[in-house]
Amino acid sequence: MPLLPESLPETIFKDDGTRLDGRKFNELRDLHIEVGVLKNADGSALVCHGKNRIIAGAYGPREVHPRHLAKSDTGILQISYRMATFSVGERKSPVPGRREKEISMVVGKAIEPVLFLEQYPNTTIDVFITVLTADGGTRCASVTAAACAIADMGIPMKDLVAGVAVGKIANRIILDVSDKEDKWEKGGATDMPVAVMVNQKQYSLLQLDGSITVEQFEEMLDLVFEGGKLVYEKQKEALRRKYSTEDVGR
Amino acid sequence: MSILHENKDSPRDSRENHVRGSGSLADHASGDRHDKELDAGILAMESEYDDADEEEPGDFEDDDDEDDFEEGDLDEGDDEEDDDYDDDGAEPANTDDDFDYGDGDDDEDDDDESRERDIVVPGQVVGKVDADTQSGYGTLANKDNDIISLYIGFTQKRGKYLNVIPFKGCYLPHVGHKVIGKIVDKNVVLYKLDINSPYMAILKPSDNDRVSRSQGGRRSRYKKKGGPRSRSTTDEFDLGDIVIAKVLKFDRTTEPSLTTVGPDLGQIKGGFLTEIEVPKIPRLIGKSGSMIKLLNKLTSCKIFVAQNGMVWIKGSDPKKERVLIKAIRKIEQEAHTFGLTDRVKEFIDEQLGN
């Protein structure tokens, strides 16, 4: 941790209207997805979203332990989101905190609608998500990673789920809020993480922290759907890349 | 879940293992409950491929009647005790057609051998429901009449059904399937088997007894001599033994139960056990068994492809066994390409130095 905290710039938008990292209001950070990165997992994905590095491993369907969690009529989806101790500036305690439990739950709820868990009664699908480096928007990137890992596992899915955030800073609506932008506004920017099922044209996660008008909300929702499409294209490309024959010798 | 434990230090593919014990194949069959010796060269899945002649070559076996995505319908064959291929020398009448698997009708594409099919991902719209297109296996039709894919795989049109054949998938037991499992636990009345599926399978000797009786077997050979009243004890197999078994019953509420009474079933000894992704099994069998017959002919190994993705091979020449495992890996990796049978043939010839 530097002795002096990183100073925040005076203005969050440059004179030409672009953001600090040169993005337009409707642009994502660099997004790269790699599927099948873990040999011992049934499905896996690495998501590099801006400076975020998130790795997800999916296992199953398999027997549920402890047994009392099993459901006879349906399978269950268990998500575990953890941040590595070195993922943030100051060492993070490895003990799962309130925030990690919340994100685990929220990612699970975002993925569940696309799965057919009732086909696998008495089993569990486990997804372990580890944030290696955090740079804002990890819950959205975790949704993206988990969806790719589960798709890689080969169980039926109605759609892929793309996670992307939208926010309001200095009264302007921007896509994919980064850590710096989030911290710029006192008390935190208005931030809305959304999980989009692009082909279904539905949202499976929507959280909102801050205050906005109804018009702004609708504008944000439209913008975030466009962002979801961009993420979906990357997911699609990554999954295809893994299964094309040029790449089989991994 | 794999019944093969991984050995990271091994230079070999971690998905293959020696089967413990080197006894003769006929050992297990000496008991009276086995009708015949385990001498099958190719078996297990062949029965449903016998009538595949009218189907498009180059395609995975599938069920035309399916219009939902119920699991397991890739292997729609009835419970048959079909022994057609038990004789290694058995050749079907239409030998010429067999090696067409893979290129078949796609005449224009023949020069580009490794041409791939289009890969689709979950949620992708692969077609539209209309007069001659229906949603088939691995797809759903949504309210806009779009057909969407449920898997990462490739599309295939079979009759009026548009299917998506996945690249990967877990094995779900179905009644009548022949599976290879490993005994991982046992008590006085039952064995538990790992069958490469989300569910642990159960093998009860008392079930075996019942199945045997229903097939006209004797109740017990000990009965009159004052021995145990029945053979329903778990002395026959030990932990770690590999057995070929048939699924007797399975539903959503109970674990699958198995039987080892029947042709080709019982403990296996010697040889190698390897694994293949379940959706790719039809490709390993080939159209009316063409691929498996090719492998059998070129490597002179016995091959048993179980429906849970376990493949047991046994040959007299270790070098040929190695080549066969490599060939199976190649089939698995290139299952979605055209002209595979020919390339596998070339590959094996090259590896064997012919």
Side-chain angles (χ1 to χ4, degrees):
Chain A
M1 191 69 178
L3 283 176
L4 294 171
E6 215 178 323
S7 60
L8 292 165
E10 289 282 304
T11 52
I12 196 75
F13 292 103
K14 292 182 187 163
D15 294 339
D16 58 355
T18 58
R19 298 198 246 165
L20 291 177
D21 47 11
R23 286 186 286 156
K24 295 199 198 83
F25 76 101
N26 61 352
E27 270 181 299
L28 293 176
R29 287 171 283 176
D30 283 344
L31 175 61
H32 180 77
I33 303 174
E34 197 74 44
V35 175
V37 290
L38 303 176
K39 175 178 163 278
N40 293 326
D42 295 328
S44 56
L46 170 71
V47 169
C48 308
H49 191 165
K51 284 178 191 150
N52 285 314
R53 295 288 179 277
I54 293 169
I55 199 157
Y59 297 80
R62 60 183 185 184
E63 276 182 25
V64 191
H65 292 287
R67 291 304 278 262
H68 68 86
L69 293 176
K71 290 184 178 163
S72 320
D73 59 338
T74 179
I76 57 172
L77 175 67
Q78 293 179 301
I79 305 260
S80 148
Y81 166 99
R82 296 283 181 272
M83 285 177 98
T85 51
F86 48 80
S87 63
V88 281
E90 197 160 349
R91 179 179 182 274
K92 191 208 150 287
S93 156
V95 182
R98 182 196 58 80
R99 180 176 166 277
E100 280 161 312
K101 284 177 187 157
E102 179 211 325
I103 294 180
S104 301
M105 187 271 276
V106 143
V107 173
K109 299 273 184 202
I111 302 281
E112 226 176 70
V114 298
L115 299 179
F116 299 92
L117 289 174
E118 68 278 6
Q119 283 189 29
Y120 305 96
N122 282 317
T123 64
T124 175
I125 292 166
D126 293 327
V127 185
F128 300 98
I129 303 166
T130 301
V131 178
L132 302 177
T133 309
D135 182 37
T138 57
R139 80 182 67 199
C140 293
S142 298
V143 170
T144 308
C148 286
I150 292 176
D152 183 33
M153 210 161 70
I155 66 163
M157 286 171 96
K158 239 186 283 185
D159 204 344
L160 291 171
V161 188
V164 65
V166 64
K168 187 189 75 174
I169 291 172
N171 225 16
R172 285 177 64 177
I173 289 166
I174 55 169
L175 187 69
D176 193 14
V177 186
S178 73
D179 192 42
K180 228 177 195 176
E181 287 167 331
D182 193 25
K183 284 178 178 147
W184 183 79
E185 205 155 283
K186 279 213 172 64
T190 298
D191 183 24
M192 188 166 91
V194 178
V196 190
M197 296 186 275
V198 174
N199 291 296
Q200 306 275 316
K201 299 185 180 59
Q202 285 176 337
Y203 305 96
S204 61
L205 165 71
L206 197 150
Q207 291 180 299
L208 175 59
D209 182 16
S211 59
I212 47 169
T213 64
V214 174
E215 291 75 37
Q216 281 172 334
F217 176 73
E218 277 166 3
E219 195 186 332
M220 282 162 97
L221 219 48
D222 289 343
L223 180 60
V224 85
F225 189 79
E226 294 306 311
K229 276 187 193 164
L230 299 175
V231 176
Y232 174 76
E233 286 305 319
K234 293 278 185 181
Q235 289 178 309
K236 204 163 139 180
E237 183 207 313
L239 291 169
R240 280 193 177 150
R241 186 157 12 98
K242 183 195 162 182
Y243 287 97
S244 61
T245 35
E246 290 91 66
D247 236 25
V248 286
R250 79 189 161 90
Chain B
M1 245 168 63
S2 168
I3 71 175
L4 305 176
H5 34 80
E6 306 228 338
N7 180 359
K8 291 200 177 64
D9 302 327
S10 163
R12 282 205 305 268
D13 188 325
S14 60
R15 293 196 297 164
E16 68 195 57
N17 255 6
H18 276 289
V19 178
R20 192 173 69 185
S22 55
S24 122
L25 274 183
D27 280 354
H28 81 283
S30 51
D32 60 346
R33 63 189 191 75
H34 286 282
D35 304 327
K36 58 201 266 305
E37 291 186 359
L38 184 73
D39 61 347
I42 312 157
L43 51 164
M45 291 220 14
E46 78 285 352
S47 50
E48 53 266 47
Y49 296 93
D50 285 351
D51 52 1
D53 293 351
E54 73 282 9
E55 287 163 6
E56 278 177 50
D59 285 334
F60 277 64
E61 187 64 20
D62 207 342
D63 188 350
D64 287 353
D65 304 318
E66 285 299 327
D67 54 1
D68 57 15
F69 51 90
E70 255 183 35
E71 63 277 3
D73 49 6
L74 282 176
D75 323 308
E76 80 281 12
D78 296 323
D79 178 14
E80 289 178 53
E81 302 291 338
D82 195 327
D83 301 336
D84 281 357
Y85 289 84
D86 281 4
D87 181 1
D88 283 4
E91 289 286 341
N94 54 346
T95 319
D96 294 343
D97 292 345
D98 284 341
F99 296 100
D100 287 347
Y101 191 101
D103 332 317
D105 298 337
D106 300 287
D107 290 329
E108 306 94 280
D109 307 319
D110 276 1
D111 34 347
D112 184 10
E113 278 207 325
S114 59
R115 193 177 75 88
E116 284 180 38
R117 296 151 206 253
D118 273 348
I119 298 173
V120 298
V121 302
Q124 190 175 336
V125 177
V126 293
K128 200 100 181 152
V129 176
D130 57 36
D132 48 30
T133 315
Q134 289 275 316
S135 128
Y137 178 86
T139 62
L140 270 187
N142 67 9
K143 57 178 185 284
D144 303 326
N145 280 334
D146 288 330
I147 299 174
I148 58 172
S149 167
L150 297 175
Y151 296 100
I152 308 175
F154 56 86
T155 55
Q156 174 214 69
K157 187 86 187 282
R158 177 70 62 81
K160 60 192 273 202
Y161 292 98
L162 188 61
N163 305 318
V164 170
I165 310 299
F167 287 130
K168 271 170 127 182
C170 72
Y171 172 70
L172 288 176
H174 267 238
V175 173
H177 278 183
K178 285 174 186 164
V179 298
I180 294 179
K182 184 169 89 174
I183 311 243
V184 290
D185 192 13
K186 73 171 185 178
N187 61 27
V188 185
V189 291
L190 57 84
Y191 302 101
K192 285 200 169 177
L193 280 87
D194 186 344
I195 54 164
N196 197 25
S197 142
Y199 306 101
M200 216 39 117
I202 284 175
L203 173 60
K204 278 187 186 163
S206 61
D207 278 342
N208 269 352
D209 227 22
R210 197 166 45 78
V211 174
S212 171
R213 276 205 307 283
S214 74
Q215 291 175 359
R218 284 182 294 156
R219 186 181 172 83
S220 166
R221 57 181 158 165
Y222 303 114
K223 202 175 171 188
K224 284 177 183 162
K225 293 181 181 171
R229 279 184 55 105
S230 86
R231 284 170 293 131
S232 302
T233 53
T234 51
D235 306 334
E236 191 180 357
F237 305 125
D238 212 341
L239 295 189
D241 283 355
I242 308 286
V243 294
I244 303 178
K246 198 172 77 178
V247 181
L248 259 190
K249 53 190 175 194
F250 173 62
D251 62 38
R252 290 166 58 91
T253 54
T254 54
E255 290 165 306
S257 51
L258 307 175
T259 176
T260 52
V261 175
D264 319 322
L265 307 182
Q267 189 184 351
I268 52 179
K269 287 175 182 170
F272 280 97
L273 207 52
T274 184
E275 232 181 312
I276 187 166
E277 288 290 345
V278 175
K280 291 178 177 169
I281 293 174
R283 193 57 152 149
L284 178 58
I285 307 275
K287 182 194 165 200
S288 47
S290 62
M291 182 72 87
I292 198 111
K293 268 180 264 170
L294 174 79
L295 295 174
N296 182 252
K297 201 170 93 187
L298 292 179
T299 65
S300 41
C301 290
K302 291 169 199 284
I303 310 167
F304 186 102
V305 185
Q307 274 148 307
N308 62 340
M310 305 306 299
V311 182
W312 177 59
I313 62 176
K314 186 175 165 116
S316 45
D317 183 355
K319 191 185 166 204
K320 285 183 174 174
E321 285 181 336
R322 291 248 69 83
V323 171
L324 177 55
I325 289 174
K326 279 188 197 162
I328 292 173
R329 289 280 85 78
K330 187 178 168 73
I331 294 166
E332 186 178 23
Q333 285 173 352
E334 301 177 17
H336 59 300
T337 58
F338 292 90
L340 187 56
T341 314
D342 292 340
R343 266 180 292 133
V344 168
K345 188 170 188 295
E346 274 168 34
F347 175 78
I348 293 177
D349 284 344
E350 185 194 312
Q351 293 276 320
L352 289 174
N354 294 336

